[in-house]
Amino acid sequence: MNRTPPEPVHIVKERRDRALAALVERTPYIRTLGISFDRRGDELTAVLNYDDKLIGNPFLPALHGGAIASFLEVAAIMELGFHILWDEIENGRVSADELSPETLPRMPKTIDFTVDYLRSGLPRDAYARARVNRSGRRYASVHVEAWQDNRQRLFAQATGHFLMPTRG
Amino acid sequence: MADETEDRAADKARIARQFIEAIPFSKALAMSLDEIGDGLAVISMPYSDDLVGDPGTGVIHGGAVSALMDTCGGAAVMSHPEALAGTATIDLRIDYMRPATPGQTITARAQCYHVTRSVAFIRAEAFDHDMDRPVAAATGAFTVERRAKS
């Protein structure tokens, strides 16, 4: 019985984090909004780090609906993009050691995006998780939920359809 | 009588303009109000490297276009004769018809086409320099704040 021993966990983690960082760093709009990502295994949580520039109504104050929409759309695209990249790395088509704008796969394109604003966004950090409900060769449907202090009290949710990049 | 109505409309447009120009997030994206009044708003957002979603092509991130649509929809509601300056988005749907051409300003035009006691409905379109082919279209519902009955 000749089995390859599993890779040390820190090597796997490091490779996954590098793949995620490569996607985040190459997207200027993600930096502009101050969005970062937490990763546990393949689960991503997008974090909208609070900044005064994200305010839409200074009198309440409340986060701007456009900032919220952007945040949810970024979370949805990253969920799809990260899994595309992860598959490419696992299948050996892309090396995690040589991630560059040339080797990174193209990101999915938004076809439509519908945001449901449930309550006003408070002036503090916000979190979002996306769930891919269907991912075919050409189209994907993604649902995103966003909350602040309480995971059970969503302040926004969204559903979007995306055109998947052509591969190979 | 007609003068009074016109004055009020001008007042409303002025208040809505001040309100929109004071929004921190719209300022961060360098949006500018081109036209406002009577339920119609036109807002433009210049191209910037900070808004890019795909550095390979230089195309602006869809989220930035959504932010422009939301701002423009809200502005249209605030400028409507039956609504007060102040609104929140209930729902916004955006369809992306094509990538915006890199380097070009995006201009959104929103019309608040119906207002009930509590809800305002808007339709919007966004264009780059090609005014014949919209980049994106949106429909939305916004809250309506009303004057207290005197």
Side-chain angles (χ1 to χ4, degrees), chain A residues 20 24 30 35-39 44-47 74-75 78-79 128:
Chain A
L20 179 58
V24 173
I30 296 180
I35 297 171
S36 54
F37 290 86
D38 286 346
R39 186 188 64 78
L44 294 183
T45 306
V47 182
V74 163
M78 190 55 74
E79 183 73 24

Side-chain angles (χ1 to χ4, degrees), chain A residues 122 124-127 146-155:
Chain A
L122 302 170
R124 59 187 70 154
D125 291 358
Y127 313 98
W147 70 98
Q148 293 191 297
D149 298 323
N150 184 340
R151 178 70 178 89
Q152 300 306 313
R153 272 170 66 88
L154 303 181
F155 78 104

Side-chain angles (χ1 to χ4, degrees), chain B residues 62-145:
Chain B
V65 178
S66 305
L68 176 66
M69 290 296 216
D70 183 79
T71 308
C72 197
V77 173
M78 285 187 229
S79 77
H80 194 277
E82 286 167 51
L84 274 185
T87 183
T89 321
I90 298 171
D91 161 277
L92 188 70
R93 178 201 161 101
I94 297 159
D95 295 320
Y96 296 92
M97 272 89 85
R98 64 177 176 94
T101 309
Q104 298 187 0
T105 291
I106 302 180
T107 303
R109 186 181 191 84
Q111 176 82 55
C112 176
Y113 66 91
H114 188 75
V115 176
T116 72
R117 219 195 312 239
S118 5
V119 188
F121 298 91
I122 68 103
R123 272 193 284 263
E125 278 190 314
F127 297 88
D128 54 19
H129 293 180
D130 181 352
M131 292 302 287
D132 294 326
R133 293 187 310 139
V135 166
T139 54
F142 287 73
T143 63
V144 170
E145 320 284 329

Side-chain angles (χ1 to χ4, degrees), chain A residues 26 32 37 49 53 62 64-66 76 86 90 93 97 133 136 141 146-147 168:
Chain A
R26 77 155 172 185
T32 303
F37 290 86
N49 297 281
K53 75 175 178 205
H64 193 286
W86 188 242
E90 292 285 280
R93 282 194 292 267
D97 299 321
N133 283 327
S141 175
W147 70 98

Side-chain angles (χ1 to χ4, degrees), chain A residues 17-32:
Chain A
D17 286 337
R18 205 158 357 121
L20 179 58
L23 287 181
V24 173
E25 279 160 20
R26 77 155 172 185
T27 313
Y29 192 57
I30 296 180
R31 288 200 306 265
T32 303

Side-chain angles (χ1 to χ4, degrees), chain A residues 63-76:
Chain A
L63 295 180
H64 193 286
I68 296 167
S70 292
F71 175 49
L72 296 182
E73 198 170 326
V74 163

